[in-house]
Amino acid sequence: PSMEATAPSVGAGANGSLAAAARAQVGPPTNPMATALLTDQYQFSMAYAYWKAGKHADHAVFDLYFRKNPFGGEFTVFAGLEECIKFIANFKFTEDEISFLQSVMPMCEDAFFDYLRGIDCSDVEVYSIPEGSVVFPKVPLMRVEGPVAVVQLLETPFVNLINYASLVTTNAARHRHVAGKSKVLMEFGLRRAQGPDGAISASKYCFMGGFDATSNVLAGHLFGIPLRGTHSHAYVSSYMSLDEIPDRTLRNKDGSKICKDFVSLVKEWLCKIQAADSLRNVFGDTNQSELAAFASYALAFPSSFLALVDTYDVMRSGIPNFCAVALALHDLGYKASGIRLDSGDLAYLSIETRKVFHAIEKEFNIPGFGKMVITASNDLNEETIDALNKQGHEVDAFGIGTYLVTCYSQAALGCVFKLVEINSRPRIKLSEDVAKVCLLFTR
Amino acid sequence: PSMEATAPSVGAGANGSLAAAARAQVGPPTNPMATALLTDQYQFSMAYAYWKAGKHADHAVFDLYFRKNPFGGEFTVFAGLEECIKFIANFKFTEDEISFLQSVMPMCEDAFFDYLRGIDCSDVEVYSIPEGSVVFPKVPLMRVEGPVAVVQLLETPFVNLINYASLVTTNAARHRHVAGKSKVLMEFGLRRAQGPDGAISASKYCFMGGFDATSNVLAGHLFGIPLRGTHSHAYVSSYMSLDEIPDRTLRNKDGSKICKDFVSLVKEWLCKIQAADSLRNVFGDTNQSELAAFASYALAFPSSFLALVDTYDVMRSGIPNFCAVALALHDLGYKASGIRLDSGDLAYLSIETRKVFHAIEKEFNIPGFGKMVITASNDLNEETIDALNKQGHEVDAFGIGTYLVTCYSQAALGCVFKLVEINSRPRIKLSEDVAKVCLLFTR
């Protein structure tokens, strides 16, 4: 795709009220820490040297691009543009920031800090490929033009805001590609991400890269991404027995009547499952604390019951306990959502689980029970999903965390920001590394 | 080290004014996005299920630990505790957050949201190993006790705040170990980190792990970490010729007199270097735009002149140009700081550069010139520094970015948060993965 000018109101000449209008229109950066100080010290050293030499207002053109597709792949998805636009629309030094800069650069003349006080990005123009585009190495993704001292200050935050955004969007797109269009993909990476913002950015950009939902509530709030999440092993472990459920009543779905003892109904179903010819020899005794946790969870969420079935033993306890609760819910007009597997051989367990669901559907004549959603979520990544596909599996939804959000197989994209022109004269940097040398000019 | 109670004023019983005092004493989280919504959706689902079953106030004990040292190493440095304490001291839902939760959990009773409105962490106790301790797998780093529903809400943010913090602190400590105590280590990772917060956290925790400075100005402002940074290749490329330096005057260091044409002085020194017997055959013509950039930078920072010497050709242009400027500064009583190499064979170039510095010291009788600081900064990591050590090198300071801050060789630490006790009864989770099973009890 060709580049187009973005945020034209920002690049419309030095004009305080116009800059204020841009701020109001674009809104603040998602991360309040993305302020004008979020840059490298050398950008300020250079700004001072430019200013001392009277070069600070020289018109410079910088290109942002990367040299190699990540993950050994053949494409990259460009992301992070919106945050860059928010960054420049809000770019302004506060007095507190100016004081800090004075304290760390005591050798600089006072007039330089007056200059910093006055700058914003109203003289900066940004041309960019649209966010979400598939892009390739060495092609400029963004061109940033303006006074050299100001554009240099933008180098570090722009590269920061584009690098990880593009990397994790690409990673998400690759996971979508390997999982296929029909699977539900959920980003579960908050706890393993590189800090709060790593997590929030991951949620935003995984959604952009083709994921369906996130576990991150704040990301749901900030970006409107659908949220998913039911319960953890700790929830299951926290129950000891069915005696811990004080209120066992459950109104049926259409509200017409009340089941006074949902727990007894669950126990009846468990007995029926254990006695069923088609299921005989599959199920023995199940873990009663797990059954209590499932029953209690179903009482709280009868319309969206989804159980984590691997706390004790998937096939001997988790699945029969889940089925008993799901069948009891069915008696009251509710449809259970499904199960989640978080350990073990996901291909085998999902296939065995599906067999049980189909057997239950047939045995008790419950249409649709066989199609219960099976979610898997144990340290998944592109390779493990590909391996599951090759083995054959019955997983409908994947919850993916660590490998997705930290971009474990390649944790950084090497975006660079290179001066290509100053005062209309092309510039080139020759490097001792031959691979880094390339001709740069305004394309 | 044994665990000790932290932030006793937080864990001092339900008391609104005490909680407010804790907030005031501890301060807000570094990242304003570390709010009570920064958790997994399932923590809220579980909170509701606990609340529905009347179990939400059950006294639960959770341990936070990891299973394996990162980077194939034998130790981990525990970090992130301060941010966890700030998190709980400020833990409180706003009305906006409650409204959002109601919108995504419409099936939950209104009284549950009243319960959420009322909770803070005044009933939560945190016991922890001191931040910065060397720790090992499977040993609890933190114990968090309190009402099960509240402590569950803390699981995700705590693990998020500890995981990356401990990982990057450990990575920094490993880099310090391989570089040795005498080297200056600078964290240059802002542009390649996983988002703004990944960068700011990296700066904070690399300093904790033994680094000396950062390039990240905001981290300098937030944490008081020393800042380093001079200029980039773009700065060098932005100059065309010596004619671009309008003001060539430089007052000498003691202020006693003014050099009217610093540029001419630099040119004189360059001729002397080129003519010197001991340096003959080393230097030919140098790049004049680079010389202009160096001279201009020296005019701005005469007391801390440090030049990036690899824009054109290190030995044929960068080093003689640097030496000419450094010698001119010396005439005026200033001592140049040194050079930075950002490409090429760092071992070879640093050794050759050192030879030139020593030759200059001898040729022109400038005591100390041979000890000029040589900084290196091209995609460095533990392995490349180790390789440099084995080859022999003359680098005094390392600027390390990508591999350090993204923890490239292992981008996540697998910290977990496990229920070990509820209402004084020990709990255990058995997993289908044998490696995940371990006996948990209050140690």
Side-chain angles (χ1 to χ4, degrees), chain A residues 14 46 54 58 99 145 163 177 181 220 222-223 226 234 275 293 326 331 357:
Chain A
M46 287 190 279
D58 282 10
S99 300
E145 300 192 20
N163 255 335
H177 179 73
K181 284 182 187 171
L222 290 171
F223 310 119
D331 278 352
F357 289 164

Side-chain angles (χ1 to χ4, degrees), chain A residues 30-33 35 37-46 48-50 52-53 55 62 96 100-101 104-105 107-108 152 155-156 159-161 163-164 190-200 215-218 220-221 227-235 237-240 244 246 289 296-297 299-301 310-314 340 342-344 349 378 402 405-408 410-416 419 422 425 427-433 436, chain B residues 30-33 35 37-46 48-50 52-53 55 62 96 100-101 104-105 107-108 152 155-156 159-161 163-164 190-200 215-218 220-221 227-235 237-240 244 246 289 296-297 299-301 310-314 340 342-344 349 378 402 405-406 408 410-416 419 422 425 427-433 436:
Chain A
T30 299
N31 188 335
M33 295 195 295
T35 61
L37 281 195
L38 187 74
T39 195
D40 285 316
Q41 173 62 34
Y42 78 0
Q43 311 291 10
F44 288 105
S45 306
M46 287 190 279
Y48 182 64
Y50 285 133
K52 276 285 283 182
K55 274 175 70 75
F62 285 80
D96 171 60
F100 174 71
L101 290 170
V104 292
M105 300 172 79
M107 70 297 280
C108 299
Q152 283 272 223
E155 172 181 17
T156 319
V159 174
N160 175 280
L161 292 167
N163 255 335
Y164 177 61
L190 171 52
R191 69 188 60 198
R192 299 286 171 80
Q194 297 198 347
D197 182 63
I200 294 159
S215 68
N216 183 336
V217 180
L218 183 55
H221 188 30
L227 292 169
R228 290 290 179 278
T230 54
H231 65 83
S232 68
H233 296 114
Y235 179 81
S237 305
S238 77
Y239 278 82
M240 300 285 171
E244 288 173 82
S289 63
S296 183
Y297 192 81
L299 284 164
F301 296 100
D310 67 343
T311 303
Y312 300 106
D313 184 305
V314 173
R340 179 161 70 95
D342 189 44
S343 57
L349 291 171
N378 181 33
T402 311
V405 304
T406 64
C407 300
Y408 205 89
Q410 184 184 327
L413 179 67
C415 271
V416 294
L419 178 69
I422 193 155
R425 289 170 304 185
R427 306 306 297 149
I428 177 172
K429 171 196 172 291
L430 293 170
S431 168
E432 300 257 331
D433 292 342
K436 280 190 183 172
Chain B
T30 298
N31 188 335
M33 295 195 295
T35 61
L37 281 195
L38 187 74
T39 195
D40 285 316
Q41 173 62 35
Y42 78 0
Q43 311 292 9
F44 288 106
S45 306
M46 287 190 279
Y48 181 65
Y50 284 132
K52 276 285 283 181
K55 274 176 70 76
F62 285 80
D96 170 61
F100 175 71
L101 290 170
V104 292
M105 300 173 78
M107 71 297 280
C108 299
Q152 282 272 221
E155 172 181 17
T156 319
V159 175
N160 175 280
L161 292 167
N163 255 335
Y164 177 61
L190 171 51
R191 69 188 58 199
R192 299 285 172 81
Q194 297 198 348
D197 181 63
I200 294 159
S215 67
N216 182 337
V217 181
L218 182 55
H221 188 31
L227 292 169
R228 290 290 179 278
T230 54
H231 64 83
S232 69
H233 296 114
Y235 179 81
S237 304
S238 77
Y239 278 82
M240 300 285 172
E244 288 174 82
S289 62
S296 182
Y297 192 81
L299 284 164
F301 296 100
D310 67 343
T311 303
Y312 300 106
D313 184 305
V314 173
R340 179 160 70 95
D342 190 44
S343 57
L349 291 172
N378 181 33
T402 311
V405 304
T406 64
Y408 205 89
Q410 183 184 327
L413 179 67
C415 271
V416 294
L419 178 69
I422 192 154
R425 289 170 304 185
R427 306 307 297 150
I428 177 172
K429 171 196 172 292
L430 293 170
S431 168
E432 300 257 331
D433 292 342
K436 280 190 183 173

Side-chain angles (χ1 to χ4, degrees), chain B residues 150-316:
Chain B
V150 178
V151 179
Q152 282 272 221
L153 288 169
L154 300 177
E155 172 181 17
T156 319
F158 269 38
V159 175
N160 175 280
L161 292 167
I162 296 294
N163 255 335
Y164 177 61
S166 298
L167 185 72
V168 74
T169 305
T170 305
N171 204 19
R174 292 175 62 91
H175 280 77
R176 167 56 72 194
H177 180 73
V178 70
K181 284 182 187 171
S182 66
K183 302 300 176 188
V184 172
L185 294 183
M186 298 172 290
E187 175 270 309
F188 281 180
L190 171 51
R191 69 188 58 199
R192 299 285 172 81
Q194 297 198 348
D197 181 63
I200 294 159
S201 301
S203 302
K204 171 175 175 170
Y205 295 113
C206 287
F207 191 60
M208 187 181 290
F211 271 55
D212 299 294
T214 179
S215 67
N216 182 337
V217 181
L218 182 55
H221 188 31
L222 290 171
F223 310 119
I225 302 171
L227 292 169
R228 290 290 179 278
T230 54
H231 64 83
S232 69
H233 296 114
Y235 179 81
V236 177
S237 304
S238 77
Y239 278 82
M240 300 285 172
S241 78
L242 291 162
D243 301 337
E244 288 174 82
I245 306 175
D247 180 2
R248 299 166 168 218
T249 59
L250 181 60
R251 188 178 289 271
N252 69 353
K253 190 169 168 94
D254 64 14
S256 60
K257 55 183 178 174
I258 290 180
C259 167
K260 285 189 183 155
D261 191 346
F262 180 71
V263 172
S264 292
L265 185 60
V266 167
K267 283 160 123 176
E268 281 169 33
W269 271 111
L270 190 59
C271 290
K272 285 187 209 170
I273 290 169
Q274 286 163 336
D277 274 349
S278 65
L279 298 162
R280 186 154 295 177
N281 300 323
V282 176
F283 302 128
D285 284 344
T286 66
N287 186 296
Q288 293 301 290
S289 62
E290 180 181 62
L291 186 64
F294 289 0
S296 182
Y297 192 81
L299 284 164
F301 296 100
S303 298
S304 56
F305 175 60
L306 194 150
L308 177 61
V309 294
D310 67 343
T311 303
Y312 300 106
D313 184 305
V314 173
M315 299 314 299
R316 280 180 289 182

Side-chain angles (χ1 to χ4, degrees), chain A residues 267-288:
Chain A
K267 283 160 120 176
E268 281 168 33
W269 270 111
L270 190 59
C271 290
K272 284 187 210 170
I273 290 170
Q274 287 163 335
D277 274 350
S278 65
L279 297 162
R280 186 154 295 178
N281 301 323
V282 176
F283 301 128
D285 285 344
T286 66
N287 186 296
Q288 293 301 289

